[in-house]
């Protein structure tokens, strides 16, 4: 059964850190591209970071560059998003997503949501000033 489960969200003060985890089922652990997206209240969902698993290339939205780091666990079944120096504008529901095998590789930076066929339920991140 295809499954992505996010965890690690919570409430922090500005300047704090959180690490989000996305546990993926075995049948999508070999996805060629996985990413984190977020949706703030009243706004559209947007791409935050992606990792191309063949080569480990990573891409970030300008708003998080230098503060967030996406990585993949050694067993390839977990994707992380380390978030440092959090700001109130980072408050959002964060979603993990994966490109299904056979769909092709998204054009970098890979923030087109239609390229991702698998999505988690999301984990809430709230940053207070």
């Amino acid at each position: 059964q295809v499954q992505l489960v996010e965890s690690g969200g919570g409430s922090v003060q500005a300047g704090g850190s959180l690490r989000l985890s996305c546990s993926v089922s075995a049948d999508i652990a070999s996805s060629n591209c996985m990413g984190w997206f977020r949706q703030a209240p009243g706004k559209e969902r947007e791409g935050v970071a992606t990792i191309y698993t063949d080569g480990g290339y990573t891409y970030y939205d300008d708003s998080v560059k230098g503060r967030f780091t996406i990585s993949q666990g050694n067993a390839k079944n977990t994707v992380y998003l380390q978030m440092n120096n959090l700001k109130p504008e980072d408050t959002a529901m964060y979603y993990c997503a994966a490109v299904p095998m056979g769909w092709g590789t998204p054009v970098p930076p890979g923030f087109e949501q239609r390229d991702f066929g698998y999505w988690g339920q999301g984990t809430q991140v709230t940053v207070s000033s």
Side-chain angles (χ1 to χ4, degrees):
Q1 179 181 359
V2 174
Q3 197 170 22
L4 296 91
V5 180
E6 303 98 333
S7 62
S11 298
V12 296
Q13 290 190 327
S17 298
L18 285 172
R19 188 172 85 153
L20 305 183
S21 298
C22 175
S23 177
V24 306
S25 54
D27 46 356
I28 58 174
S30 297
S31 172
N32 57 19
C33 182
M34 302 188 70
W36 286 95
F37 294 76
R38 67 185 180 186
Q39 187 169 21
K43 295 187 177 181
E44 293 186 353
R45 190 161 58 185
E46 62 180 4
V48 175
T50 55
I51 182 166
Y52 287 70
T53 57
D54 186 12
Y57 298 103
T58 58
Y59 298 88
Y60 299 92
D61 183 75
D62 287 345
S63 64
V64 306
K65 279 181 181 177
R67 301 188 297 122
F68 290 13
T69 303
I70 187 171
S71 62
Q72 193 173 24
N74 290 334
K76 306 294 184 183
N77 59 354
T78 307
V79 178
Y80 302 101
L81 186 68
Q82 178 67 43
M83 306 186 296
N84 298 327
N85 190 21
L86 283 160
K87 303 176 180 180
E89 51 264 42
D90 295 318
T91 295
M93 183 72 78
Y94 283 71
Y95 298 91
C96 178
V99 175
M101 295 293 287
W103 275 32
T105 304
V107 175
F111 290 160
E112 290 291 338
Q113 296 180 47
R114 62 175 180 266
D115 291 332
F116 292 80
Y118 300 129
W119 292 83
Q121 294 299 307
T123 185
Q124 178 68 38
V125 172
T126 302
V127 185
S128 58
S129 58

